[in-house]
Amino acid sequence: MKADLDTDMVVKIQFNSEVKVKAIKVAGGADGTSPNKLRVYKNEEVVDFDIIQDKKPLHEISLAEDCLGELDYPLPLNKFSNCNNLVLGFVGNFGGDTTVVNFIGLKGQFMRDKFQAIELTYEVRA
C-alpha cells in the first residue's frame, strides 16, 4: 500500500469473529518511506481519514524503520480483547515523499463467533 498524496495512511481490518490482538508487525518501504508512527483504534464503525487527527487512539506506537517486518509491537491485552475490527493510522515516515506499507501482520487468538441478526425472506405454498 502506498499513501497517495502525503505521508499519512488509514487502514481498516475487519474480523469475521471476535479476536484478541496481541501484537502487530509492519514491513514498510525502503529509502525513508516506512511509517514511523502507528495509531491503533478498536471497533470503529465509521472510519475516514480524519480519525487520525480528531480521535485519540487506544494505543500509539513509535515504529522502527523495518523493511522486512521482523519486529513485533506488543499491544496491551486489556485494551485489545473482543476486537471486531482494527483501524491502523500510519502517521509520518522517515523522510520519504510518501509512505509505503508492504505487510501488516497480526498475532492474536480467536475469542468467539459474532452473532448477528439475519434477514430471511421465504414463501409458503398453501
Side-chain angles (χ1 to χ4, degrees):
M1 293 176 286
K2 183 177 179 181
D4 289 336
L5 301 173
D6 60 9
T7 60
D8 297 346
M9 184 185 318
V10 176
V11 177
K12 182 176 181 182
I13 302 169
Q14 189 72 41
F15 303 114
N16 292 331
S17 59
E18 287 187 8
V19 298
K20 179 188 296 184
V21 183
K22 298 178 180 182
I24 296 177
K25 281 182 183 255
V26 176
D31 301 323
T33 61
S34 289
N36 68 359
K37 188 174 289 186
L38 175 59
R39 295 180 180 160
V40 187
Y41 306 85
K42 172 183 130 178
N43 297 341
E44 294 292 331
E45 293 302 317
V46 178
V47 177
D48 62 17
F49 197 73
D50 293 331
I51 193 169
I52 58 178
Q53 302 301 326
D54 298 341
K55 187 162 186 178
K56 182 179 179 187
L58 202 53
H59 191 64
E60 191 165 320
I61 303 168
S62 293
L63 301 172
E65 194 167 10
D66 181 10
C67 296
L68 300 177
E70 296 177 321
L71 301 173
D72 280 346
Y73 297 96
L75 295 175
L77 293 179
N78 61 333
K79 292 182 180 179
F80 291 96
S81 294
N82 303 322
C83 289
N84 295 313
N85 69 55
L86 282 183
V87 176
L88 307 178
F90 296 98
V91 181
N93 63 26
F94 290 92
D97 292 334
T98 186
T99 298
V100 175
V101 175
N102 293 318
F103 173 81
I104 298 170
L106 301 173
K107 290 185 179 180
Q109 75 183 75
F110 167 84
M111 298 295 290
R112 65 187 139 272
D113 286 327
K114 289 193 269 187
F115 295 100
Q116 302 177 31
I118 297 173
E119 186 175 322
L120 179 66
T121 303
Y122 64 94
E123 294 180 21
V124 177
R125 181 176 291 186

